[in-house]
């Protein structure tokens, strides 16, 4: 697996929701959309809105492409601009009805599709990896395949979310992918029958010729707690005596799962503190019964580790439970309150902020590692599925210096001739983003 470049959209897709209740938000107009040519000076309307309505009316009257004057599109654009001006980059967000539905699906960890991770390379949609045991793998889809068309429609210029939406569909239905396979210099069409996909939040593998297990947590979806418990228990049964927990490029997820996952590594105390605008704080206590409270631990983090991943890293660091290796995390520590709007869209508004158990601010600060190990953006980051197929020599020549440093800290012997300070080898650019089909 290559190193995914963290983009704000990736963070927005996996925002952290507080509970399941949704409050009714502000309704813009009786239909939920702003109609063109409304006047200014409405009762209760800020005087600054006069400039907005002036600009709106000028656009409606004078813009050359009248077909582009879609009220919904313009309204959504205005809301996005307002949200962006708040400065809570990567967290507070506006979601269209379609984006909100996809967000909820992603957080559930269950959906219907072909079973493949999709990203972008050289501005083209590409298969990052088919998921073991699902239709894409069975149909012969390979990592690196470029997605040219979906059911005959060219998708090479579409945003990644739109490509994902076209590939997904009802269970039992067929989708035809036209793929370019660069290493064979040929195009092929593959028909795939969609099925329900249940993506485990956690995967694991033993480090070759060691008693160390790598546990990778891809997001804090609804099944993260049970998934991390199962992974750790299986690793212990396989002989794991110490753990590397990898939350690099993990964009976060559900707060409840952040508490559940972090509690597996702590005996007591708090997972995090939550602070409102008045400075009032409440604490989230460690849940009892953790399955890995006494195993030596290293946590891998980078600039793509966000929200719930930062909660985990901050708590581990505050209690000196393990060592953080990698790069400073993203810094998204606000609690998002979802407000439903009239047309099914949603405003995810940061109303509170998170602190580590010792009261350190996460928002705009991030969590700094104990051992700073920078790697180039294009460096391949090993995942358990790849690690399980590797021998010792291939592992130590992989270039994933963050993982190799973690092994050194856990006492794994470094083979002769290996220098962890050396730069990672040159590799092809990595697909950006990590949506799953």
């Amino acid at each position: 697996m290559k190193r995914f470049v963290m983009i704000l959209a990736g963070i927005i897709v996996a925002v952290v929701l507080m509970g399941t209740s949704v409050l009714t938000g502000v309704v813009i107009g009786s239909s939920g959309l702003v109609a063109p040519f409304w006047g200014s000076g409405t009762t209760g309307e800020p005087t600054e809105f006069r400039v907005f309505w002036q600009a709106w009316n000028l656009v409606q009257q004078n813009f050359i492409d009248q077909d582009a004057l879609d009220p919904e599109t313009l309204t959504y654009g205005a809301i996005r601009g307002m949200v962006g001006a708040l400065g809570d980059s990567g967290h507070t967000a506006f979601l269209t009805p379609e984006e909100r539905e996809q967000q909820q699906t992603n957080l559930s960890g269950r959906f219907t599709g072909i079973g493949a991770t999709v990203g972008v390379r050289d501005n083209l949609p590409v298969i990052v990896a088919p998921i073991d045991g699902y239709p894409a793998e069975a149909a012969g889809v390979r990592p690196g395949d470029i997605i040219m068309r979906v059911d005959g429609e060219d998708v090479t210029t579409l945003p990644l979310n739109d490509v994902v939406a076209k590939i997904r569909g009802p269970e039992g239905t067929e989708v035809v992918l036209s793929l370019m396979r660069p290493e064979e210099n040929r195009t092929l069409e593959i028909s795939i029958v969609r099925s329900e996909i249940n993506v485990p939040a956690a995967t694991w593998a033993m480090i070759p010729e060691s008693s160390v297990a790598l546990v990778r947590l891809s997001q804090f979806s609804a099944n993260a707690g049970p998934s991390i418990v199962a992974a750790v228990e299986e690793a212990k049964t396989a002989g794991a005596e110490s753990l590397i927990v990898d939350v690099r490029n993990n964009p976060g997820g559900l707060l409840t799962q952040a508490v559940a996952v972090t509690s597996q590594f702590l005996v007591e105390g708090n997972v995090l503190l939550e602070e409102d605008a008045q400075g009032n704080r409440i604490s989230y206590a460690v849940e009892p019964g953790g399955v890995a409270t006494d195993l030596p631990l290293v946590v891998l983090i980078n600039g793509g580790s966000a929200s719930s991943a930062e909660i985990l890293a901050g708590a581990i660091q505050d209690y000196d439970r393990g060592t953080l290796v990698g790069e400073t995390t993203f810094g998204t520590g606000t609690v998002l309150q979802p407000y439903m709007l009239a047309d099914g869209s949603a405003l995810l508004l940061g109303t509170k902020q998170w602190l580590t158990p010792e009261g350190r601010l996460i928002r705009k600060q991030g969590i700094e590692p104990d051992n700073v190990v920078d790697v180039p953006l294009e460096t391949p980051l090993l995942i358990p599925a790849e690690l399980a197929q590797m021998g010792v020599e291939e592992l130590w020549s992989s270039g994933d210096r963050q993982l190799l440093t973690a092994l050194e800290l856990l006492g794994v012997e470094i083979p002769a001739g290996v220098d962890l300070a050396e730069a990672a080898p040159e590799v092809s650019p990595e697909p950006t983003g990590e949506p799953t089909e």
Side-chain angles (χ1 to χ4, degrees), residues 247-366:
V247 291
R248 293 175 295 181
N249 298 319
N250 181 320
L254 299 168
L255 177 59
T256 55
Q257 298 307 303
V259 174
V261 169
T262 305
S263 296
Q264 303 309 316
F265 305 100
L266 299 175
V267 175
E268 58 185 3
N270 293 319
V271 173
L272 76 151
L273 306 176
E274 182 181 284
E275 182 179 72
D276 64 19
Q278 289 71 46
N280 301 312
R281 295 182 179 181
I282 61 173
S283 59
Y284 288 79
V286 170
E287 298 172 350
V291 297
T293 59
D294 57 353
L295 294 179
L297 178 67
V298 174
V299 178
L300 302 180
I301 58 174
N302 67 3
S305 306
S307 62
S308 295
E310 295 174 288
I311 290 174
L312 167 66
I316 295 299
Q317 191 174 60
D318 276 7
Y319 288 111
D320 198 24
R321 172 62 186 86
T323 303
L324 305 186
V325 172
E327 302 152 80
T328 301
T329 61
F330 191 81
T332 52
T334 51
V335 178
L336 293 184
Q337 174 65 53
Y339 293 89
M340 288 294 296
L341 304 182
D343 65 341
S345 59
L347 181 64
L348 307 179
L349 191 64
T351 58
K352 300 176 184 179
Q353 64 184 5
W354 295 319
L355 310 172
T356 71
E358 290 186 353
R360 292 184 293 144
L361 184 65
I362 297 176
R363 183 173 67 91
K364 295 186 177 181
Q365 305 295 320

Side-chain angles (χ1 to χ4, degrees), residues 9 32 38 42 95 104 217 263 267 309 313 335:
W38 280 14
T42 304
L95 301 180
Q104 293 172 333
L217 192 65
S263 296
V267 175
V335 178

Side-chain angles (χ1 to χ4, degrees), residues 67-408:
D67 292 337
L69 300 180
D70 175 58
E72 180 180 87
T73 301
L74 295 178
T75 300
Y76 286 175
I79 297 173
R80 292 190 196 280
M82 177 181 65
V83 168
L86 297 175
D88 192 18
S89 299
H91 223 210
T92 291
F94 170 75
L95 301 180
T96 66
E98 295 76 19
E99 291 168 343
R100 184 177 65 86
E101 181 179 354
Q102 183 173 329
Q103 174 217 56
Q104 293 172 333
T105 299
N106 288 340
L107 286 173
S108 73
R110 300 179 69 93
F111 45 85
T112 57
I114 65 172
T117 305
V118 179
V120 174
R121 178 185 290 144
D122 298 331
N123 296 319
L124 292 172
V126 63
I127 299 291
V128 177
I131 302 173
D132 291 345
Y134 284 105
E137 181 192 43
V141 174
R142 297 181 186 175
D145 286 347
I146 300 170
I147 306 170
M148 307 299 293
R149 293 182 296 279
V150 177
D151 287 333
E153 179 181 352
D154 184 0
V155 296
T156 56
T157 60
L158 295 181
L160 187 58
N161 284 343
D162 290 351
V163 179
V164 170
K166 291 182 181 300
I167 297 175
R168 288 182 181 176
E171 182 177 10
T173 60
E174 185 180 72
V175 61
V176 178
L177 302 186
S178 299
L179 304 173
M180 165 62 73
R181 186 160 292 167
E183 70 270 22
E184 298 178 2
N185 194 29
R186 68 187 182 103
T187 302
L188 61 159
E189 288 197 352
I190 297 180
S191 298
I192 307 172
V193 177
R194 301 177 178 101
S195 69
E196 182 178 57
I197 310 297
N198 183 12
V199 180
T203 55
W204 72 278
M206 294 297 295
I207 302 294
E209 298 185 19
S210 81
S211 59
V212 179
L214 172 66
V215 179
R216 162 75 181 157
L217 192 65
S218 59
Q219 65 173 328
F220 287 79
S221 54
N223 60 352
S227 187
I228 198 77
V229 169
V232 171
E233 293 285 22
E234 290 171 9
K236 288 163 63 178
T237 300
E241 297 177 0
S242 55
L243 298 175
I244 299 172
V245 175
D246 186 358
V247 291
R248 293 175 295 181
N249 298 319
N250 181 320
L254 299 168
L255 177 59
T256 55
Q257 298 307 303
V259 174
V261 169
T262 305
S263 296
Q264 303 309 316
F265 305 100
L266 299 175
V267 175
E268 58 185 3
N270 293 319
V271 173
L272 76 151
L273 306 176
E274 182 181 284
E275 182 179 72
D276 64 19
Q278 289 71 46
N280 301 312
R281 295 182 179 181
I282 61 173
S283 59
Y284 288 79
V286 170
E287 298 172 350
V291 297
T293 59
D294 57 353
L295 294 179
L297 178 67
V298 174
V299 178
L300 302 180
I301 58 174
N302 67 3
S305 306
S307 62
S308 295
E310 295 174 288
I311 290 174
L312 167 66
I316 295 299
Q317 191 174 60
D318 276 7
Y319 288 111
D320 198 24
R321 172 62 186 86
T323 303
L324 305 186
V325 172
E327 302 152 80
T328 301
T329 61
F330 191 81
T332 52
T334 51
V335 178
L336 293 184
Q337 174 65 53
Y339 293 89
M340 288 294 296
L341 304 182
D343 65 341
S345 59
L347 181 64
L348 307 179
L349 191 64
T351 58
K352 300 176 184 179
Q353 64 184 5
W354 295 319
L355 310 172
T356 71
E358 290 186 353
R360 292 184 293 144
L361 184 65
I362 297 176
R363 183 173 67 91
K364 295 186 177 181
Q365 305 295 320
I367 302 296
E368 296 183 3
D370 302 305
N371 288 59
V372 177
V373 181
D374 296 321
V375 294
L377 288 174
E378 67 274 11
T379 300
L381 301 184
L382 295 181
I383 59 173
E386 295 173 331
L387 187 63
Q389 309 299 320
M390 285 185 172
V392 173
E393 287 189 12
E394 190 176 4
L395 165 65
W396 287 96
S397 62
S398 67
D400 188 349
R401 293 191 297 113
Q402 293 167 344
L403 174 59
L404 300 182
T405 299
L407 293 175
E408 181 185 24

Side-chain angles (χ1 to χ4, degrees), residues 10-27:
I11 301 293
I12 292 171
V13 167
V15 293
V16 179
L17 303 182
M18 288 290 296
T20 57
S21 61
V22 177
L23 303 181
T24 302
V26 177
V27 177

